[in-house]
Amino acid sequence: MTAPAAEEAPVPARESGPWDADEAHPETERVDLGGLRLPIGPGFEVQLNVAGDRIVGAVVLVNESALQVHAFAAPKRNGIWGEVRADLARELTAAGGSCEEQEGPFGPELAARIKQEGELQPVRFVGVDGPRWFLRGVISGRAIADPEAAKVLEDVMRDIVVVRGDQPMAPKEPIELRLPTEARQAVEQEAAKDGRPPLDPFHRGPEITEVR
């Protein structure tokens, strides 16, 4: 006689973000980038990371600090931040940088020094495993040494909404982003004038700036 399949335990409600689009989360002003809904505030500037003709990440600039975020698909039953963290540590060390693990507001993170233009620059790698997705953030600039500046970017990370979608995706595959409608139309008009592709990776990336 076949034993009945064990019922999966319900996923407990999380008390803080980043949030999944299908779970209850606080309403606030966010830029809709498709796979990510990114909170914005006074003085924020948002730039988009382009790989080929795809938008794969975003950078939030504020108070001489930067938060770069990328979202990836992940397995349903287990997170990948532990594996990604180990891979990052090996890659950074091999490239002449250094890193050490520390505890941060989102759990384990990497405090690293990476080579940029021949100099070692301090950065923080933070990660959050969500339901079938993984969100990675890289904090740099003034926020490395200034706790108040760091809190602003940590709050941005905490208030991001990830829209994973139902399509099949391999683990670690980037969740594709898109420009908001108004910004996309502006970029296409500018590209038509210049005679270049709408998302030319060698041209300065699209920006969304909010100044109040």
Side-chain angles (χ1 to χ4, degrees), residues 65-88:
S65 306
L67 169 67
Q68 184 179 50
V69 290
H70 293 83
F72 304 88
K76 183 177 181 180
R77 294 181 180 274
N78 58 286
I80 61 173
W81 178 218
E83 179 185 346
V84 170
R85 208 163 59 247
D87 290 343
L88 274 172

Side-chain angles (χ1 to χ4, degrees), residues 44 155 204:
F44 281 32
D155 286 346
R204 185 169 179 174

Side-chain angles (χ1 to χ4, degrees), residues 79-93 99-103 106-112 125-129 134 136 172:
I80 61 173
W81 178 218
E83 179 185 346
V84 170
R85 208 163 59 247
D87 290 343
L88 274 172
R90 284 192 296 269
E91 291 170 7
L92 292 170
T93 303
C99 67
E100 63 179 60
E101 190 165 305
Q102 64 184 23
E103 194 68 17
F106 302 100
E109 62 178 55
L110 291 178
F125 288 89
V126 299
V128 178
D129 288 307
F134 164 67
R136 186 187 71 197
K172 300 183 184 179

Side-chain angles (χ1 to χ4, degrees), residues 24-40:
H25 53 270
E27 289 299 323
T28 188
E29 187 175 5
R30 296 181 178 92
V31 174
D32 186 354
L33 300 176
L36 290 178
R37 296 175 192 157
L38 200 63
I40 56 173

Side-chain angles (χ1 to χ4, degrees), residues 178-189:
R178 58 171 169 73
L179 281 172
T181 303
E182 291 182 4
R184 184 168 60 249
Q185 290 172 347
V187 169
E188 289 172 350
Q189 289 172 1

Side-chain angles (χ1 to χ4, degrees), residues 26-168:
E27 289 299 323
T28 188
E29 187 175 5
R30 296 181 178 92
V31 174
D32 186 354
L33 300 176
L36 290 178
R37 296 175 192 157
L38 200 63
I40 56 173
F44 281 32
E45 180 180 305
V46 178
Q47 297 181 355
L48 303 180
N49 298 137
V50 179
D53 60 354
R54 300 179 68 195
I55 300 173
V56 295
V59 183
V60 177
L61 302 170
V62 63
N63 296 333
E64 300 175 8
S65 306
L67 169 67
Q68 184 179 50
V69 290
H70 293 83
F72 304 88
K76 183 177 181 180
R77 294 181 180 274
N78 58 286
I80 61 173
W81 178 218
E83 179 185 346
V84 170
R85 208 163 59 247
D87 290 343
L88 274 172
R90 284 192 296 269
E91 291 170 7
L92 292 170
T93 303
S98 64
C99 67
E100 63 179 60
E101 190 165 305
Q102 64 184 23
E103 194 68 17
F106 302 100
E109 62 178 55
L110 291 178
R113 298 177 70 84
I114 62 175
K115 269 197 171 181
Q116 289 184 334
E117 300 178 355
E119 296 184 1
L120 289 174
Q121 301 291 340
V123 299
R124 287 170 54 199
F125 288 89
V126 299
V128 178
D129 288 307
R132 299 172 61 234
W133 52 258
F134 164 67
L135 184 66
R136 186 187 71 197
V138 186
I139 295 172
S140 60
R142 178 179 165 188
I144 295 298
D146 184 335
E148 289 187 10
K151 186 178 184 306
V152 171
L153 296 184
E154 290 163 2
D155 286 346
V156 170
M157 182 86 174
R158 194 173 283 114
D159 219 11
I160 289 173
V161 177
V162 181
V163 186
R164 162 65 176 79
D166 296 326
Q167 70 274 26

